[in-house]
């Protein structure tokens, strides 16, 4: 009542639905049409003529027999060839199949699918449902090109010759002459000498004209390439392609391997979305939203293109546009400028002579190596799970927030003020060198050219490799630098720092101070406050952490915590820009603070 009257016809030889009905009710799959769409000799009155050309004659034949109820032209939708635009004739033909049921292939494949890692996980359900509902696999195609099905037919009785030794014999011919030998040689030239039909004893054969389904061809690549190159039993670590391949390559490979090996051919399967423009429309030259890769590379460089590939969440459709590229270019420059700052401050650093042991480094430097170890763990985990867009986000966050806005900003005082031989500068540069070496090695698979260039200009010890690609990933760093106790203490100090910055911001609004170095901070903390012991332990470093000219710490009774900000007094040092009540006026460095005067005096003595 919803899909038609049923009063047209049932033609099992000319439609999928009718064919399935014919199988169910035992109807003959009658299809008297040849490969060129012409009636065969089974319909003698129209034999040799195109089926569509015969329509008017068939109408007249029905009229002449008095069985034509009515006739009128009717235009309806009908499938046509994508290339020649001619209508397609559906017909049932003899084909080669792999049965999904009699071989147990469907059940075996369904059991093996969960043993594979599917990335993203929804791929498991997708391919599982497709295998569960797919029909038998039709292996044959009627084409004039392709890899032939190695089978022969006896010309006398029609018996099929499908023999393993014959197939190997033909395979040896293909190894020397290529698969085209099947089409350029006769059956006698392809068969082993003395081959006879097992049914009738005759020796005159005709080779099969059908070719193998191209999905079967690509599906056996694991055997033809991987096993041939690396040995039988080798399983691919990863197959990756678009999400449409759950019904294509991923599935044909799986079915073929399960059928012949009893196992999956791959350990993991990764699927990605398709490239769309900034508005989510598919990329199309017709729409004019196609951006040639070489245009992006010529304008922005190959690194930006590589970063785009890594930065986008491939599990969804991947967007590309000028705006996306600009955002990535900005992020790339932040990473690159961080590398430049680190390289600039490592100039002249000799890791073998100047490195400070971890236990002797200043607390802030040890804390940042701990944070770098945490970053390393996350990035290595993201590589293992193929979540490259997470790596991009983690690195940009680390470079801009934890390094540029926090650690490097604090370190500038030590790096610019203290001499090379001082523990303050050596500790900082040891940390910078470790951080740079770690980041470059972690990012080398993505920003390959940039990281190789940075590696070339980095200070290296005697054991470092000539190229970043000849080194190992820094898998040991998280273990070496892990210090959860120190990190917990810094979590408290950073909250205290944020409170002080909020107070300083209020003084900036009133123009009392400008830069944080214009401020003097007083911290009053009760002995019963939960942060008391941490603040006392790190008291010598609070002024540096807060980036202020002076800091006073007062211990009081109770559990209170208070911060007071006021403008720093004294004279501004021309060298470090700190305000100080004590200067080097009694020395030749009268425009500097007493700290800088002492440092300059030591440096002068060493130079002398």
């Amino acid at each position: 009542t919803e899909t038609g009257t049923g009063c047209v016809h049932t033609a099992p030889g000319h439609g999928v639905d009718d064919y399935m009905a014919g199988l169910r009710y035992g109807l003959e799959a009658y299809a008297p049409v040849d490969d060129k769409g012409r009636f065969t000799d089974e319909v003698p009155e129209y034999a040799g003529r195109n089926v569509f050309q015969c329509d008017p004659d068939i109408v007249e034949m029905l009229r002449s027999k008095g069985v034509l109820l009515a006739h009128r032209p009717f235009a309806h939708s009908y499938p046509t060839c994508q290339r020649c635009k001619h209508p397609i004739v559906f017909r049932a033909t003899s084909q080669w199949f792999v049965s999904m049921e009699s071989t147990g292939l469907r059940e075996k494949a369904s059991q093996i699918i969960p043993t594979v890692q599917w990335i993203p996980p929804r791929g498991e359900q997708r391919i599982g449902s497709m295998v569960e509902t797919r029909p038998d696999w039709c292996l044959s195609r009627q084409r004039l090109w392709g890899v032939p099905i190695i089978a022969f037919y006896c010309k006398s009785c029609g018996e099929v010759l499908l023999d393993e030794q014959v197939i190997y014999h033909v395979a040896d011919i293909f190894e020397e002459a290529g698969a085209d030998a099947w089409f350029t040689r006769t059956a006698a030239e392809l068969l082993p000498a003395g081959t006879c039909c097992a049914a009738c004893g005759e020796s005159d054969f005709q080779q099969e004209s059908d070719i193998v389904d191209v999905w079967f061809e690509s599906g056996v690549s694991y055997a033809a390439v991987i096993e041939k190159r690396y040995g039988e039993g080798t399983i691919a670590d990863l197959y990756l392609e678009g999400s449409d391949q759950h019904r294509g390559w991923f599935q044909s490979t799986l079915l073929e391997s399960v059928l012949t090996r009893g196992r999956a051919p791959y350990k993991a399967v990764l699927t990605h979305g398709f490239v769309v423009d900034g508005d989510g429309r598919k990329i199309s030259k017709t729409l004019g939203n196609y951006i040639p890769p070489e245009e992006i590379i010529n304008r922005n460089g190959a690194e930006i293109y590589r970063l785009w590939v890594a930065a986008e969440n491939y599990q969804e459709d991947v967007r590309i546009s000028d705006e996306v590229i600009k955002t990535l270019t900005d992020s790339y420059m932040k990473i690159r400028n961080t590398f430049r700052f680190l390289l600039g401050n490592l100039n002249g650093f000799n890791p073998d002579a100047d490195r400070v042991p971890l236990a002797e480094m200043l607390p802030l430097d040890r804390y940042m190596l701990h944070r770098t170890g945490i970053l390393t763990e996350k990035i290595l985990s993201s590589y293992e799970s193929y979540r490259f867009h997470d790596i991009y986000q983690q690195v940009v966050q680390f470079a801009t927030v934890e390094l540029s806005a926090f650690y490097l900003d604090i370190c500038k005082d030590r790096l610019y003020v203290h001499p090379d031989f001082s523990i303050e500068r050596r500790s900082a540069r040891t940390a910078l060198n470790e951080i740079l070496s770690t980041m470059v090695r972690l990012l080398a698979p993505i920003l390959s050219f940039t990281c190789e260039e940075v590696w070339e200009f980095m200070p290296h010890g005697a054991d470092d490799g000539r190229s970043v690609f000849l080194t190992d990933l820094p898998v040991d760093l998280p273990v070496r630098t892990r210090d959860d106790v120190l990190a917990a203490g810094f979590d408290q100090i950073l909250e205290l720092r944020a409170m002080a910055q909020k107070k300083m911001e209020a003084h900036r609004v009133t123009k009392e101070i400008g830069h944080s170095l214009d401020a003097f901070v007083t911290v009053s903390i009760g002995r019963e406050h939960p942060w008391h012991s941490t603040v006392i332990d790190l008291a010598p470093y609070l002024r540096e952490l807060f980036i202020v000219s002076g800091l006073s710490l007062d211990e009081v009774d109770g559990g209170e915590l208070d911060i007071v900000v006021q403008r720093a007094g004294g004279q501004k040092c021309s060298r470090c820009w700190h305000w100080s009540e004590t200067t080097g006026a009694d020395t030749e460095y009268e425009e500097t603070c007493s700290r800088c005067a002492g440092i300059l005096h030591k440096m002068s003595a060493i130079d002398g």
Side-chain angles (χ1 to χ4, degrees), residues 280-495:
R281 300 175 302 171
K282 70 174 183 177
I283 295 293
S284 168
K285 290 184 178 179
T286 304
L287 295 175
N289 59 351
Y290 171 69
I291 306 176
E294 60 268 22
E295 180 180 316
I296 297 174
I297 293 172
N298 291 337
R299 185 174 66 233
N300 304 102
E303 291 293 69
I304 301 300
Y305 203 60
R306 295 174 65 90
L307 186 60
W308 166 70
V309 173
E312 292 295 312
N313 182 1
Y314 62 81
Q315 296 185 6
E316 310 295 339
D317 284 342
V318 179
R319 292 178 181 262
I320 188 168
S321 66
D322 290 336
E323 290 74 19
V324 170
I325 295 299
K326 183 181 183 305
T327 299
L328 289 170
T329 302
D330 293 342
S331 296
Y332 170 75
M333 291 309 299
K334 291 176 182 176
I335 297 171
R336 186 179 179 87
N337 288 337
T338 300
F339 284 162
R340 289 185 63 184
F341 181 89
L342 295 173
L343 279 175
N345 283 280
L346 286 170
N347 182 42
F349 181 73
N350 183 343
D352 292 331
D354 300 333
R355 182 184 284 120
V356 176
L358 182 64
E360 299 175 17
M361 293 173 67
L362 272 60
L364 175 62
D365 301 326
R366 286 189 283 118
Y367 171 71
M368 280 311 300
L369 289 183
H370 168 87
R371 295 297 305 162
T372 306
I374 298 298
L375 173 74
T376 300
E377 285 183 330
K378 292 179 179 178
I379 290 181
L380 293 177
S381 175
S382 296
Y383 273 126
E384 287 292 331
S385 58
Y386 306 105
R387 296 185 62 85
F388 307 113
H389 57 285
D390 286 349
I391 297 174
Y392 161 76
Q393 294 168 358
Q394 291 159 1
V395 169
V396 172
Q397 169 78 8
F398 187 77
T400 57
V401 178
E402 298 203 43
L403 286 182
S404 296
F406 171 63
Y407 179 60
L408 299 181
D409 197 29
I410 294 173
C411 272
K412 287 175 183 176
D413 184 64
R414 275 191 283 152
L415 293 170
Y416 297 166
V417 173
H418 289 272
D420 287 344
F421 55 80
S422 66
I423 185 64
E424 292 88 354
R425 183 168 166 82
R426 287 175 56 218
S427 175
R429 297 221 290 175
T430 299
L432 295 185
N433 190 58
E434 188 86 71
I435 291 169
L436 180 60
S437 174
T438 300
M439 290 184 67
V440 168
R441 284 181 286 165
L442 289 174
L443 279 177
I446 297 173
L447 299 179
S448 303
F449 299 103
T450 301
C451 291
E452 181 72 344
E453 184 180 16
V454 172
W455 190 263
E456 180 182 347
F457 288 95
M458 277 180 56
H460 295 294
D463 298 330
D464 285 334
R466 298 181 303 277
S467 165
V468 68
F469 299 107
L470 297 178
T471 64
D472 296 324
L473 288 169
V475 293
D476 63 321
L477 183 74
V479 177
R480 288 193 294 107
T481 61
R482 189 79 178 221
D483 193 333
D484 291 332
V485 175
L486 178 67
F490 262 91
D491 288 343
Q492 297 172 354
I493 294 299
L494 292 181
E495 285 193 51

Side-chain angles (χ1 to χ4, degrees), residues 78-332:
Y78 191 84
T80 57
C81 173
Q82 185 178 3
R83 289 190 174 88
C84 69
K85 309 305 180 184
H86 290 165
I88 294 171
V89 178
F90 288 91
R91 65 194 182 107
T93 60
S94 297
Q95 303 284 351
W96 294 89
F97 287 90
V98 169
S99 171
M100 296 293 293
E101 302 301 339
S102 64
T103 59
L105 181 55
R106 191 189 313 279
E107 182 181 356
K108 294 176 186 175
S110 297
Q111 292 173 350
I112 287 175
I113 286 173
T115 68
V116 175
Q117 180 188 6
W118 300 93
I119 308 165
R122 61 178 179 269
E124 178 180 343
Q125 189 276 331
R126 179 175 169 84
I127 194 171
S129 61
M130 289 181 175
V131 169
E132 183 179 346
T133 58
R134 73 160 292 151
D136 291 341
W137 187 2
C138 180
L139 296 180
S140 51
R141 295 292 185 272
Q142 293 70 53
R143 300 286 186 273
L144 299 178
W145 53 268
V147 176
I149 294 175
I150 310 303
F152 297 85
Y153 299 92
C154 176
K155 288 186 176 181
S156 297
C157 68
E159 183 73 12
V160 179
L161 174 62
L162 191 63
D163 181 79
E164 183 177 356
Q165 295 304 315
V166 169
I167 292 174
Y168 277 116
H169 177 80
V170 175
D172 290 339
I173 296 175
F174 286 4
E175 192 75 33
E176 295 181 4
D180 282 351
W182 187 260
F183 306 104
T184 59
R185 302 187 186 187
T186 64
E189 293 172 320
L190 293 167
L191 285 166
T195 301
C196 295
C197 176
C200 68
E202 293 294 326
S203 59
D204 193 10
F205 291 90
Q206 174 64 46
Q207 61 261 53
E208 171 66 75
S209 60
D210 288 354
I211 65 164
V212 174
D213 172 23
V214 292
W215 289 119
F216 185 88
E217 280 192 71
S218 61
V220 299
S221 58
Y222 76 91
V225 178
I226 297 175
E227 289 189 352
K228 185 175 181 179
R229 186 174 298 172
Y230 302 108
E232 289 190 16
T234 303
I235 301 177
D237 290 314
L238 180 71
Y239 268 47
L240 63 158
E241 248 288 1
S243 54
D244 57 331
Q245 296 305 313
H246 287 112
R247 70 173 72 255
W249 184 42
F250 298 150
Q251 188 176 154
S252 65
T253 302
L254 175 72
L255 296 179
E256 202 287 328
S257 179
V258 170
L259 188 65
T260 61
R261 269 59 169 179
R263 57 166 172 78
Y266 35 59
K267 299 175 184 176
V269 173
L270 183 151
T271 54
H272 56 77
F274 296 94
V275 181
V276 297
D277 67 12
D279 297 323
R281 300 175 302 171
K282 70 174 183 177
I283 295 293
S284 168
K285 290 184 178 179
T286 304
L287 295 175
N289 59 351
Y290 171 69
I291 306 176
E294 60 268 22
E295 180 180 316
I296 297 174
I297 293 172
N298 291 337
R299 185 174 66 233
N300 304 102
E303 291 293 69
I304 301 300
Y305 203 60
R306 295 174 65 90
L307 186 60
W308 166 70
V309 173
E312 292 295 312
N313 182 1
Y314 62 81
Q315 296 185 6
E316 310 295 339
D317 284 342
V318 179
R319 292 178 181 262
I320 188 168
S321 66
D322 290 336
E323 290 74 19
V324 170
I325 295 299
K326 183 181 183 305
T327 299
L328 289 170
T329 302
D330 293 342
S331 296
Y332 170 75

